């Protein structure tokens, strides 16, 4: 609580200082230049990062060295992602589609089957997305307002799925982003839209091809503008707010999940959508904890839907390392019984059974099950058993 209070006081101090400088006849550009030249912008950035460490002790978070090490690595990853998003690639007139969440930057139960891309946009401009659809199982585009750590949270301002795209015979397509409808394929923006998110979901990464996607600002620049003190000052402030906001946001979720350990109840759809989740997805989030001689059995009858997956995460809601461990299964990769049901086995070692989910050296964490565009939302049954009973 103390660190959260400090963070709020720092923000209040920043606002008061800006007001005081502007009252002395300084322009906004003058103020940002002074903050950069004096080192004040960097000091506040560092202070905010320090305050972000409050998430590491929030709500009964595990305090053992292993989980704390993962937690501080998580903060460093958020800092890297925030600096790239808000400082390095922050010019909405020269947008760059890039991966903010990937194998070594993870956030909010990121889906291992997803290839995420996003870029900075501004609702006052119009944009053109173009490329080739290829064969990824799912492709979706969304524009959003807000960000983690900022007042109002994250709000959807427009969405378009590949199933609604008008695509040429060779797979090529074009999308216009604007506040007023334009073109054959239109992705709505709002005056305060600030982010474009592109999601590609794979059932089978071995055979499906990643879509080729590019973006340009219509009437924008063919190269970035020169760096300005204003961009760096605002960027540092936004980056630190992102780190502190995202870390505390999901720390609250993890605390709530501990109320139903080793179970998978339906997560509130309105809450997931407000956090940037897809409104077409039903999420089942929870907390898991297993002793070395225990296993978690998860049984369900998947609904009729184009995609589902299950995954293990660490306590900080980062997907476990799917590059080297089988920590996720989906509609394509999971083995199904003859009656259509599925049993997943979460265990520290291979039980020699189908659908093993590897804990990847973790004894606790969070987990997530998704149904995408399902008409029914069945709740899985779960049971903790001794590992030896599986044989």
């Amino acid at each position: 609580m103390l660190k959260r209070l400090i963070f709020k006081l720092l923000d209040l101090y920043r606002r008061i200082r800006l007001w005081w400088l502007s009252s002395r006849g300084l322009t906004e550009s003058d103020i940002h230049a002074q903050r950069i030249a004096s080192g004040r912008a960097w000091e506040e950035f560092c202070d905010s990062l320090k305050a972000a460490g409050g998430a590491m002790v929030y709500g009964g978070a595990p305090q053992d060295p292993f989980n704390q090490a993962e937690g501080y690595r998580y903060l460093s990853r958020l800092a890297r992602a925030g600096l790239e998003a808000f400082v390095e690639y922050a010019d909405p007139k020269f947008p760059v589609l890039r991966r903010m969440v990937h194998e070594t930057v993870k956030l909010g139960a990121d889906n291992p089957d997803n290839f995420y891309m996003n870029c900075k946009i501004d609702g006052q401009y119009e944009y053109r997305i173009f490329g080739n659809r290829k064969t990824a199982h799912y492709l979706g585009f969304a524009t959003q307002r807000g960000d983690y750590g900022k007042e109002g949270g994250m709000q959807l301002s427009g969405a378009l799925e590949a199933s609604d795209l008008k695509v040429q015979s060779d797979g090529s397509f074009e999308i216009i982003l604007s506040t007023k409808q334009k073109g054959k394929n239109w992705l709505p923006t709002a005056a305060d839209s600030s982010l474009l998110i592109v999601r590609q979901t794979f059932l089978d990464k071995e055979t499906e091809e990643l879509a080729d996607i590019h973006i340009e600002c219509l009437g924008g620049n063919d190269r970035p503008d020169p760096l300005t003190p204003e961009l760096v000052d605002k960027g540092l402030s936004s980056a630190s707010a992102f780190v502190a906001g995202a870390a505390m946001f999901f720390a609250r979720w993890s605390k709530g999940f501990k109320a139903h350990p080793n179970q998978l109840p339906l997560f509130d759809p309105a809450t997931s959508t407000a956090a940037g989740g897809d409104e077409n997805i039903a999420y089942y989030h929870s907390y898991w904890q297993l002793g070395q001689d225990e296993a978690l059995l998860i049984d369900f009858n998947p609904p009729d839907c184009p995609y589902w997956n299950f995954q293990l995460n660490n306590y900080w809601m980062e997907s476990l390392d799917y590059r080297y461990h089988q920590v996720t299964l989906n509609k394509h990769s999971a083995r199904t019984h003859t009656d259509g049901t599925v049993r997943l086995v979460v265990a520290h070692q291979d039980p020699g059974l189908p659908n093993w989910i590897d804990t990847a050296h973790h004894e606790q964490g969070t987990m997530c099950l998704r149904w995408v565009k399902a008409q029914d939302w069945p709740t899985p049954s779960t049971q903790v058993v001794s590992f030896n009973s599986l044989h």
Side-chain angles (χ1 to χ4, degrees), residues 308-375:
W308 64 261
N309 91 308
F310 172 84
Q311 65 185 75
L312 277 193
N313 313 307
N314 63 16
Y315 182 83
W316 314 108
M317 293 190 68
E318 296 180 292
S319 65
L320 298 186
D321 199 338
Y322 50 84
R323 297 173 298 176
Y324 308 113
H325 301 273
Q326 184 170 289
V327 299
T328 182
L329 289 168
N330 65 26
K331 180 180 179 178
H332 171 78
S333 57
R335 185 89 60 86
T336 304
H337 296 148
T338 55
D339 63 356
T341 60
V342 172
R343 165 168 284 184
L344 307 178
V345 183
V346 180
H348 299 298
Q349 54 186 311
D350 188 350
L353 298 172
N355 301 335
W356 172 43
I357 300 291
D358 187 354
T359 59
H361 312 297
H362 291 69
E363 294 185 353
Q364 63 179 303
T366 61
M367 55 184 171
C368 176
L369 175 71
R370 297 171 175 85
W371 313 130
V372 178
K373 293 186 175 180
Q375 297 300 313

Side-chain angles (χ1 to χ4, degrees), residues 78-97:
L78 293 180
R80 173 157 46 100
L83 289 170
E84 287 194 349
F86 298 108
V87 178
E88 199 68 41
Y89 301 102
D91 185 356
K93 293 182 291 184
F94 190 78
V96 178
L97 262 176

